Amino acid sequence: MATATLDSCMLYPLHNQRCLYAQHLYISHDVSVRKNFKLKCSARKRCEYVDLHNVLVPYSDAWALQKAIVKEKRAMIERNEECHDTLIILQHHPVYTLGTGSSEEFLNFNVKDPPHDVIRTERGGEVTYHGPGQLVMYPIINLRNHKMDLHWYLRALEEVVIRSLFSTFSIEASRLEGFTGAWVGKQKLAAIGIRVTHWIAYHGVALNVSIDLTPFKQIVPCGIRDRKVGSIKQILGECQTSLHGSSIDQFSADDSLLIDIAQKSLIREFSEVFQLNLEQVSPATSHLQKYIKAL
């Protein structure tokens, strides 16, 4: 697969009327965000990072892994041991997932004969789709080390995506009042669904990078009927019409490179927003190996 260096994370200077993103707005916004999200402590805490971003992981395996890690962290807390955070990033095989209270009325297919597997989970939110070309971040966060506030946590996850989209792709995303996620106009680029037990948060963020958007037509994504789902690749493609001859063409045409660049950007912004030192570990060498099957 194609690889990208950290220096390649600033390759998309998009400047046309539709894709004109005012940098001064982001900078001023960033100052206020840093006041809200930067931790009071000067020393960053450790976060174990498992990178599977180029691996297609069955949803059920990733779900089981998260629950096993949550169980371990709860035991650590009960023993008064230090409970650091964990971040896993990966892609999934095609699957539809529903939150705890999701309604099947948002499925545009016969649930007994679905186009892809359908799994009901304990996360919040309505139905969504996961598949190749979508980066899924699963932060397993001990909120006692940050802020015991679920609204703060959701806004922080949104901030990771918003910063990443702007700093790397010059895409100005925003929040939509009353909903979670990251939006560009009426298009949702990132969906967020979490579960919190004993102040340990899991599940997380799904960012559409180069994913085929067709399967989303089989559902009402997140239960929102008057909004669409978009992707980074789609938006970059729309901008190409006014950027003839730009280097953007070669990168947006290479899905694996686009995934690599987005992954590097996401983990960088995650580290900054949550003020964590990410220590990348191999699933085969970390203590997580006892939970991970052959992925």
Side-chain angles (χ1 to χ4, degrees):
M1 288 188 174
T3 58
T5 65
L6 190 59
D7 291 337
S8 67
C9 286
M10 295 293 290
L11 294 173
Y12 294 91
L14 308 183
H15 301 291
N16 65 2
Q17 270 200 335
R18 184 164 184 176
C19 299
L20 181 60
Y21 306 116
Q23 188 169 1
H24 71 277
L25 292 177
Y26 178 79
I27 292 173
S28 62
H29 170 65
D30 187 58
V31 170
S32 64
V33 165
R34 286 182 183 277
K35 292 179 181 178
N36 291 331
F37 292 110
K38 190 170 183 179
L39 299 182
K40 294 180 180 179
C41 58
S42 57
R44 295 191 178 200
K45 293 185 180 294
R46 172 175 176 259
C47 178
E48 187 175 52
Y49 170 51
V50 181
D51 180 14
L52 298 169
H53 82 277
N54 278 322
V55 180
L56 289 179
V57 180
Y59 187 87
S60 57
D61 286 357
W63 187 16
L65 173 60
Q66 290 181 78
K67 290 189 287 187
I69 296 173
V70 169
K71 182 178 179 180
E72 180 186 49
K73 291 186 185 303
R74 286 182 59 182
M76 293 171 69
I77 292 171
E78 290 172 0
R79 295 193 298 264
N80 292 317
E81 297 177 3
E82 182 181 358
C83 179
H84 57 261
D85 298 325
T86 301
L87 174 65
I88 304 168
I89 189 165
L90 48 75
Q91 298 179 60
H92 282 307
H93 292 284
V95 63
Y96 293 108
T97 66
L98 296 87
T100 304
S102 294
S103 172
E104 291 184 3
E105 70 177 273
F106 296 125
L107 305 180
N108 298 328
F109 54 79
N110 184 346
V111 71
K112 295 181 180 180
D113 185 27
H116 301 293
D117 289 344
V118 178
I119 299 177
R120 185 176 290 275
T121 78
E122 75 276 74
R123 65 161 173 80
E126 286 289 345
V127 63
T128 193
Y129 168 76
H130 301 299
Q134 179 191 75
L135 283 176
V136 183
M137 282 202 319
Y138 289 126
I140 305 168
I141 297 289
N142 178 11
L143 290 175
R144 294 173 180 83
N145 293 336
H146 300 274
K147 192 171 183 179
M148 295 164 69
D149 183 328
L150 301 190
H151 293 289
W152 172 86
Y153 182 57
L154 288 170
R155 303 295 82 77
L157 291 177
E158 291 169 345
E159 187 62 27
V160 171
V161 177
I162 289 170
R163 289 190 185 193
S164 177
L165 289 172
F166 188 91
S167 65
T168 302
F169 302 104
S170 297
I171 296 174
E172 186 181 14
S174 61
R175 297 175 176 86
L176 185 62
E177 186 175 357
F179 300 96
T180 59
W183 304 76
V184 177
K186 292 188 176 182
Q187 297 183 87
K188 189 171 190 177
L189 266 65
I192 297 175
I194 65 169
R195 174 78 173 185
V196 178
T197 176
H198 297 271
W199 292 110
I200 299 173
Y202 62 115
H203 290 286
V205 181
L207 174 62
N208 297 333
V209 181
S210 57
I211 189 171
D212 177 10
L213 299 176
T214 305
F216 285 101
K217 296 179 181 179
Q218 298 291 320
I219 59 174
V220 180
C222 303
I224 306 173
R225 296 187 182 277
D226 60 346
R227 295 289 190 273
K228 296 181 179 180
V229 174
S231 71
I232 293 174
K233 183 175 182 178
Q234 175 198 14
I235 291 176
L236 295 180
E238 291 172 354
C239 295
Q240 284 181 10
T241 55
S242 63
L243 291 171
H244 297 300
S246 169
S247 61
I248 187 176
D249 296 341
Q250 61 177 309
F251 294 111
S252 61
D254 188 335
D255 288 359
S256 61
L257 180 57
L258 198 57
I259 285 284
D260 286 342
I261 293 172
Q263 171 260 345
K264 291 181 185 298
S265 181
L266 280 174
I267 62 171
R268 182 184 66 232
E269 300 301 344
F270 178 85
S271 174
E272 286 302 310
V273 169
F274 286 94
Q275 290 291 286
L276 291 167
N277 280 327
L278 268 59
E279 299 179 7
Q280 184 171 344
V281 295
S282 166
T285 58
S286 79
H287 72 283
L288 298 178
Q289 64 179 312
K290 60 187 177 182
Y291 302 123
I292 298 178
K293 303 175 182 179
L295 297 178

